[in-house]
Amino acid sequence: MRYLILSDIHSNWEALEAVLAEARGGYDAAVCCGDLVGYAADPNRVVEWSLRNLAAVVRGNHDKACAGLEDLEWFNPVARSAALWTERALSVENLSYLRELPQGPIRVGDFQILHGSPLDEDEYLLSARAASELAEYLEAGVSFFGHTHIQGAFLLEGRDVEWIKKPDPEARQVQIEIEEGPRYLINPGSVGQPRDNDPRAAYAVYTPEDRRVELRRVSYPIEVAQAKILRAGLPAALADRLDWGS
Ligand code: ZN
């Protein structure tokens, strides 16, 4: 089996389409670490693709917010207005799909998927130090997470952590060989709103048989997604930030 690992799509259809076009034929099942919706202008299209095509998915904080399951007072004003717009835009069927999404971590094959951290789906896992405290809570050698929109991997050996970085701006991928022993916490990056100073859509492909994960980046027509965001009346800041990937 080869797995397409997605996270934080955030209603950005153009970014998802570019990922799927590039990965086509190179995977057998697709999974997502949460945040299908929120921010960009195509929530129904992204949810419809997800319910037909994802073999497994966990909910993200924006999925909860847009489905009315989360108190919006914790969201900043831009995220809050996008959540309210998304909830109004979603069809009844798509809203009920979002409401039913399971909380992570969940097991898929020999790995796990989760949104924030194995202990708290809403926690931002941003530092090697924070990751170093989680090894004992990981129930699989390889776990994929999202939420931070920062592509990369933590290799945990006891309390030692190695931080494996995303591809350089001129490279399309970084390859990680999975060793026996350490635990891996891997963020495939955000498909629809990268925040690691690279505007390209991020994703990963995991091949358990070859013990290999590829962290990949692909360009997409950002200006099309931006025009849709502005046309929908969503905050302009959500269009602008796609240019910078931050
Ligand atoms: Zn997100």
Side-chain angles (χ1 to χ4, degrees):
M1 282 290 272
R2 297 159 302 171
Y3 293 93
L4 178 67
I5 316 286
L6 307 173
S7 192
D8 299 280
I9 303 168
H10 283 293
S11 305
N12 187 337
W13 176 255
E14 285 68 36
L16 177 60
E17 208 176 27
V19 165
L20 297 173
E22 189 185 69
R24 187 167 296 135
Y27 66 94
D28 307 295
V31 304
C32 183
C33 301
D35 280 358
L36 301 173
V37 299
Y39 295 140
D42 271 318
N44 284 305
R45 219 161 169 187
V46 168
V47 171
E48 273 147 30
W49 179 85
S50 300
L51 63 89
R52 288 198 197 99
N53 295 287
L54 288 176
V57 53
V58 293
R59 68 186 188 184
N61 54 318
H62 286 261
D63 302 321
K64 283 190 286 181
C66 297
L69 299 175
E70 178 110 307
D71 195 339
L72 291 179
E73 99 185 55
W74 299 106
F75 272 45
N76 68 51
V78 167
R80 190 185 309 139
S81 92
L84 291 170
W85 179 91
T86 302
E87 188 173 1
R88 282 195 304 272
L90 281 165
S91 71
V92 174
E93 295 78 17
N94 292 340
L95 260 178
S96 72
Y97 172 78
L98 284 183
R99 275 193 202 112
E100 306 285 307
L101 290 179
Q103 180 177 349
I106 62 171
R107 183 105 186 177
V108 187
D110 74 340
F111 65 97
Q112 284 184 305
I113 57 173
L114 52 117
H115 189 60
S117 101
L119 298 178
D120 178 354
E121 60 183 339
D122 295 332
E123 183 186 342
Y124 288 90
L125 204 47
L126 288 161
S127 69
R129 189 198 165 100
S132 73
E133 284 159 18
L134 295 171
E136 60 200 283
Y137 301 103
L138 296 169
E139 285 168 19
V142 175
S143 300
F144 292 96
F145 71 103
H147 197 36
T148 63
H149 299 210
I150 294 172
Q151 190 179 41
F154 297 111
L155 189 162
L156 311 175
E157 216 154 10
R159 296 262 148 171
D160 292 334
V161 186
E162 186 189 333
W163 195 343
I164 302 165
K165 297 284 170 65
K166 66 187 167 74
D168 291 333
E170 56 290 337
R172 295 176 65 174
Q173 67 172 62
V174 155
Q175 198 156 301
I176 303 170
E177 305 298 338
I178 303 294
E179 295 162 34
E180 205 84 58
R183 307 245 132 177
Y184 292 79
L185 255 173
I186 303 175
N187 191 324
S190 170
V191 172
Q193 195 199 74
R195 292 179 197 159
D196 50 11
N197 303 310
D198 184 339
R200 296 176 296 173
Y203 69 104
V205 174
Y206 175 40
T207 313
E209 289 79 8
D210 298 342
R211 309 190 65 77
R212 189 179 65 231
V213 174
E214 289 161 10
L215 300 177
R216 297 189 184 168
R217 302 303 279 239
V218 60
S219 300
Y220 72 95
I222 291 174
E223 66 290 349
V224 179
Q226 288 172 320
K228 285 184 181 176
I229 288 169
L230 297 175
R231 215 180 310 133
L234 283 156
L238 294 172
D240 293 344
R241 69 186 301 172
L242 297 178
D243 276 330
W244 314 111
S246 65

